[in-house]
Amino acid sequence: MQTSSLERPVLEPAVLDRLFGRSLLLTDDYDQTELGALLAVAARLAALDRAGTKTPFLPHELAYALFFDNSTRTKSAWAGAAARLGMQPVIVDGSSTQIAHGETAVETGAMLGMNAHALGVRHDLILGEGNSFMRDVRKGIDDYLAATGDPRKVPIVNLQCDVDHPTQTLADLCWLLERFPEGLSGKRIAMSWAYSPSYAKPLSVPQGIAMLMTRFGAHVTLAHPDGYSLMEPCLASAARHAAESGGSFRVVDSMDEAFRDADVVYPKSWGPYDLMLERVAANRARDAKAMGEIERRALERNARHRDWICDERRMALTKGGDALYMHCLPADIGAEVSPGVMARHTVNVAREASWKVHVIMALLATAKVPNLAEKLAAA
Ligand code: CP
């Protein structure tokens, strides 16, 4: 693994060759060496950007993105990444496409793939659907390109699904490696549920954090109240990675226990598991009334756990009383986190978010730019 220093990233052409034409739909799709290469490219692109060096490696290409959910950061990071690479970004509301009238994901992939040069997708609200939608879209694109002998590489970038939020968790990882250049081995990370009154949030961020940070030797504690479990394959992946990396992974039902001696805390809300599952049938039936009722019950359930807040008392339990606070944003201030803790970490969460543009650039560049190591070295 060659990512302990993001200031001196190692770009290995042989590993970058393996990423050419690839789509990362889960961080688990890439092996450790491939993830290291991706992070090295992100770091190099970030350094070039900071130095004001332009990297228009993909001029006159279309970076199309479909969002089936709201977004502030990821939409702008997609547009920013595409623009920095010389691509034309276009972002479309997924519900405004013919998918709403029954067009399949495979058909959609073929149609979008014939025009676009890269496709971003956010489809995160329905358990069991988002990641498989992306895989079907990719099949549609790949089948079309193969059938027509079209040599273009049209990768899919997962901009958040039901399982993972890879551009977020990789940005989180870049920020952690910037903050802890010695690496994550032995660091204690608390990924905790926190109270939210705003909406039943997807499970993909805590799942993605558990799956990714355990690969780097961190001791990850997942904390949540009863009823807020995560998808079983993600928990199994986190446990497997921890065993392989020399880190650890445990699940507790106490925010205090997770925070005790933590180096890093990541308190955020997600929806109750059983109600997130109930959404699947209501969504398939296009039953807006049932969806609204499930949302009401989810918020009622959340409200039983108003004491799950990241506040000054809990931060005092962390290592030296001064853990790094992280959040993918937007945070519910006054519910997930106290105003004082957020005020103290406002710049930190912005620096965390700022990595996403370079992670998306790295995903697009590794998938699409031939001889990338040479081009980055020459830039
Ligand atoms: N964290 C994150 O993905 O932010 P947006 O939902 O605003 O894109």
Side-chain angles (χ1 to χ4, degrees):
M1 187 68 217
Q2 311 227 19
T3 56
S4 58
S5 171
L6 283 173
E7 295 309 311
R8 292 183 301 280
V10 178
L11 301 170
E12 292 184 69
V15 184
L16 291 180
D17 283 350
R18 299 212 309 257
L19 300 183
F20 191 60
R22 294 264 294 275
S23 299
L24 178 134
L25 298 185
L26 297 172
T27 56
D28 272 17
D29 290 347
Y30 281 17
D31 70 22
Q32 205 70 358
T33 317
E34 291 163 350
L35 269 189
L38 185 75
L39 295 175
V41 171
R44 176 77 180 137
L45 288 166
L48 289 169
D49 200 20
R50 271 197 302 271
T53 305
K54 305 292 181 213
T55 51
F57 298 144
L58 297 165
H60 314 297
E61 299 214 348
L62 173 61
Y64 202 76
L66 284 180
F67 276 76
F68 293 89
D69 192 9
N70 298 346
S71 166
T72 299
R73 278 145 291 274
T74 311
K75 277 181 180 169
S76 64
W78 175 261
R84 282 168 172 79
L85 289 170
M87 304 178 83
Q88 172 71 47
V90 170
I91 296 171
V92 174
D93 173 358
S95 64
S96 72
T97 67
Q98 295 292 8
I99 295 163
H101 290 159
E103 187 166 62
T104 68
V106 174
E107 288 169 334
T108 304
M111 295 301 120
L112 300 184
M114 70 178 61
N115 299 317
H117 299 86
L119 182 65
V121 183
R122 171 169 288 190
H123 191 317
D124 60 338
L125 292 175
I126 309 298
L127 284 187
E129 293 195 2
N131 199 266
S132 54
F133 174 86
M134 292 178 196
R135 288 180 195 275
D136 285 349
V137 169
R138 184 174 62 178
K139 177 174 164 40
I141 294 177
D142 290 350
D143 288 354
Y144 168 80
L145 295 176
T148 57
D150 188 330
R152 283 176 303 129
K153 303 294 178 197
V154 185
I156 299 209
V157 179
N158 178 349
L159 298 175
Q160 190 171 9
C161 70
D162 54 319
V163 181
D164 201 353
H165 191 352
T167 63
Q168 179 65 48
T169 59
L170 289 166
D172 295 340
L173 178 58
C174 289
W175 165 231
L176 283 173
L177 293 172
E178 181 184 347
R179 182 69 183 232
F180 302 110
E182 70 275 21
L184 297 193
S185 185
K187 291 282 184 291
R188 297 168 70 92
I189 300 177
M191 178 73 245
S192 178
W193 190 86
Y195 167 60
S196 166
S198 59
Y199 73 107
K201 302 183 183 188
L203 277 50
S204 42
V205 169
Q207 288 174 168
I209 290 292
M211 289 191 288
L212 184 60
M213 303 311 168
T214 46
R215 292 174 74 164
F216 295 86
H219 299 297
V220 177
T221 300
L222 174 71
H224 59 77
D226 189 33
Y228 287 82
S229 188
L230 301 176
M231 295 169 90
E232 190 52 46
C234 301
L235 299 176
S237 162
R240 190 174 61 252
H241 290 323
E244 287 165 1
S245 74
S248 63
F249 178 63
R250 65 181 178 139
V251 184
V252 301
D253 63 1
S254 157
M255 201 171 184
D256 282 4
E257 192 178 337
F259 269 46
R260 198 158 286 120
D261 295 324
D263 298 281
V264 176
V265 296
Y266 202 137
K268 86 166 293 296
S269 197
W270 62 88
Y273 192 76
D274 60 326
L275 296 181
M276 299 304 265
L277 274 180
E278 271 191 39
R279 266 187 184 173
V280 177
N283 180 63
R284 285 209 180 122
R286 299 188 196 285
D287 187 340
K289 191 162 166 233
M291 289 291 274
E293 180 59 16
I294 292 166
E295 183 69 8
R296 187 193 64 72
R297 287 164 58 210
L299 295 186
E300 195 176 81
R301 190 90 64 83
N302 284 2
R304 294 179 200 164
H305 307 288
R306 288 175 192 270
D307 55 330
W308 285 63
I309 180 169
C310 174
D311 58 8
E312 285 73 359
R313 181 192 71 76
R314 283 206 166 96
M315 287 301 274
L317 299 173
T318 66
K319 189 177 279 176
D322 194 28
L324 177 66
Y325 167 83
M326 294 179 71
H327 199 291
C328 53
L329 304 176
D332 285 305
I333 299 170
E336 290 179 301
V337 59
S338 71
V341 171
M342 181 51 102
R344 190 165 146 63
H345 289 272
T346 302
V347 175
N348 285 335
V349 290
R351 292 183 68 180
E352 176 188 352
S354 75
W355 273 102
K356 192 178 286 180
V357 69
H358 299 115
V359 166
I360 295 175
M361 284 180 83
L363 287 165
L364 293 171
T366 51
K368 291 188 60 67
V369 179
N371 305 318
L372 180 62
E374 226 171 81
K375 286 178 182 147
L376 286 172

